[in-house]
Amino acid sequence: MGKKLKWGILATGGIAESFVKDLAHAENGEGYAVGSRTLASAEKFAEKFNLPKAYGSYEDLAADPAIDVIYVATPHPFHKENVLTCLRAGKAVLCEKPFTVNAKELAELISFTRDQKLFLMEAMWTRFLPVIRKVRDWIEAGEIGDVRLVKADFGFKAPWEPEWRLLNLELGGGALLDTGIYPISFASMVLGPHPEKIMSTAHIGETGVDEHFSILLSYPNGKAASLNGGVRLGLTNEATIHGTKGYIQIPGFLYAREATLYGENAVQTFKDNRTVSGYQFEAEEVGRLLLNGQLESDIITLDESLAILQLMDQVREQWGLKYPSERQ
């Protein structure tokens, strides 16, 4: 058994719980401390998940010298501030997606990170799942020929609660930042983050957020991506990659447990029978990079994360949608 990195968990919400549960199965990392806005919340979380340390502020968590890396699990409007708190304390950071609410905020984080020679990565956990790794292998091996079209959807019908984060413009609510990051990042993984043309449409609901959207990305050589997302509209949540020699279908692609390759002469299915949710794989990737002295993942680089947010900014510009923090 090699060295295990000590993880700090910043925030105590549902995604933090999912991550720390899986972290218990990581080969090169372990949960060590949690920070919350109140000590009571942190202590409750620490007791539930058997973490040795609990802190009543994010600053105190970041100041703990025993922590190697911090997972930022707050809502996205707070990511920039929370990540900076950790980076200023010299900590490596894995930040929940989307990285920030816009590209300007992320550009500032990247500049600081690179100036200080620190580690920072977006927690796009889908990229590190065994099924998605297999899909990339199939594509690289030419199993479906030249990729021409990517289709990906992620949407669910949330209850009508206007003050809830998902429907609250003040909190960066809406489909694009919440569900849209998945299909957009998936298309970026397959076709790249720099389409030649972006066309989109959205339904803006009563609270001013985008309740569902459709995006069409056009790339050179006839390549395209058709992407949809919603928070008030249930979708198939599937992804399909079409090539000149076949296609790959991935049900529930964001948490992918299987994928089927329909080739010219054969059909094959790859299944992942894991017993965990799947967050351990991104944690292990962070651990591998840090233990090797690397500051960035080549599976999702900071430049790609920035390009994805720039694309999302352009989409919102087409809709005329700005968050209150951007109007100041």
Side-chain angles (χ1 to χ4, degrees):
M1 240 357 225
K3 173 179 168 60
K4 282 200 170 190
L5 298 177
K6 287 182 166 55
W7 281 81
I9 311 299
L10 193 151
T12 57
I15 191 66
E17 290 199 359
S18 296
F19 181 84
V20 81
K21 284 178 187 175
D22 270 21
L23 188 57
H25 301 275
E27 293 182 356
N28 56 16
E30 60 187 1
Y32 173 75
V34 60
S36 182
R37 289 172 295 180
T38 67
L39 184 58
S41 177
E43 288 177 338
K44 183 179 179 181
F45 189 97
E47 181 179 3
K48 183 175 181 179
F49 297 105
N50 198 29
L51 304 182
K53 297 284 187 178
Y55 294 102
S57 77
Y58 300 149
E59 290 77 13
D60 288 346
L61 175 76
D64 186 331
I67 293 174
D68 297 302
V69 54
I70 294 177
Y71 169 62
V72 173
T74 49
H76 37 264
F78 309 108
H79 285 176
K80 179 190 171 186
E81 175 187 347
N82 298 154
V83 169
L84 276 175
T85 294
C86 300
L87 293 175
R88 286 170 178 153
K91 294 294 189 288
V93 177
L94 174 67
C95 180
E96 194 48 59
K97 70 213 157 308
F99 236 136
T100 52
V101 297
N102 57 45
K104 180 177 180 291
E105 290 187 351
L106 179 55
E108 292 177 32
L109 291 182
I110 292 174
S111 177
F112 185 90
T113 299
R114 288 176 171 165
D115 285 347
Q116 300 299 313
K117 295 180 170 56
L118 295 169
F119 177 91
L120 178 63
M121 189 179 95
E122 183 178 14
M124 179 46 71
W125 69 303
T126 298
R127 294 276 178 107
F128 305 97
L129 297 175
V131 167
I132 301 303
R133 289 180 182 269
K134 184 64 174 179
V135 167
R136 288 201 298 270
D137 289 344
W138 281 337
I139 294 171
E140 289 168 12
E143 296 284 356
I144 60 170
D146 295 328
V147 174
R148 286 290 182 264
L149 176 65
V150 172
K151 296 189 290 186
D153 301 339
F154 176 36
F156 53 86
K157 188 171 183 180
W160 178 249
E161 297 177 15
E163 299 302 317
W164 185 31
R165 178 185 66 81
L166 281 180
L167 300 177
N168 190 329
L169 194 63
E170 293 273 354
L171 297 178
L176 185 67
L177 291 187
D178 195 88
T179 64
I181 185 65
Y182 281 102
I184 292 170
S185 183
F186 186 83
S188 176
M189 180 189 76
V190 179
L191 297 174
H194 299 290
E196 287 185 325
K197 190 173 181 180
I198 303 168
M199 294 162 280
S200 68
T201 185
H203 169 63
I204 306 300
E206 291 179 32
T207 64
V209 306
D210 54 305
E211 294 188 357
H212 61 261
F213 69 83
S214 295
I215 298 173
L216 181 62
L217 305 178
S218 176
Y219 292 81
N221 302 317
K223 299 181 180 183
S226 175
L227 315 172
N228 300 281
V231 291
R232 290 281 291 160
L233 186 67
L235 299 175
T236 63
N237 303 338
E238 291 186 350
T240 309
I241 306 167
H242 296 268
T244 55
K245 295 181 180 179
Y247 66 97
I248 300 167
Q249 195 165 35
I250 314 165
F253 78 97
L254 59 150
Y255 48 81
R257 289 181 177 269
E258 68 175 73
T260 301
L261 167 64
Y262 296 87
E264 287 185 315
N265 301 312
V267 175
Q268 56 179 300
T269 297
F270 178 86
K271 292 189 177 183
D272 173 16
N273 296 315
R274 66 181 187 267
T275 57
V276 295
S277 295
Y279 298 99
Q280 78 176 79
F281 302 113
E282 66 178 357
E284 287 176 340
E285 170 73 357
V286 171
R288 182 185 69 80
L289 293 166
L290 290 175
L291 292 170
N292 287 340
Q294 296 172 255
L295 298 181
E296 248 183 84
S297 169
D298 59 358
I299 294 176
I300 182 161
T301 66
L302 291 175
D303 287 338
E304 185 188 2
S305 290
L306 180 61
I308 289 170
L309 270 171
Q310 289 169 338
L311 188 157
M312 294 167 80
D313 285 352
Q314 290 181 62
V315 167
R316 285 196 295 117
E317 187 175 357
Q318 292 180 1
W319 304 342
L321 177 62
K322 285 190 174 184
Y323 302 112
S325 61
E326 296 175 314
R327 298 173 185 154
Q328 297 171 0

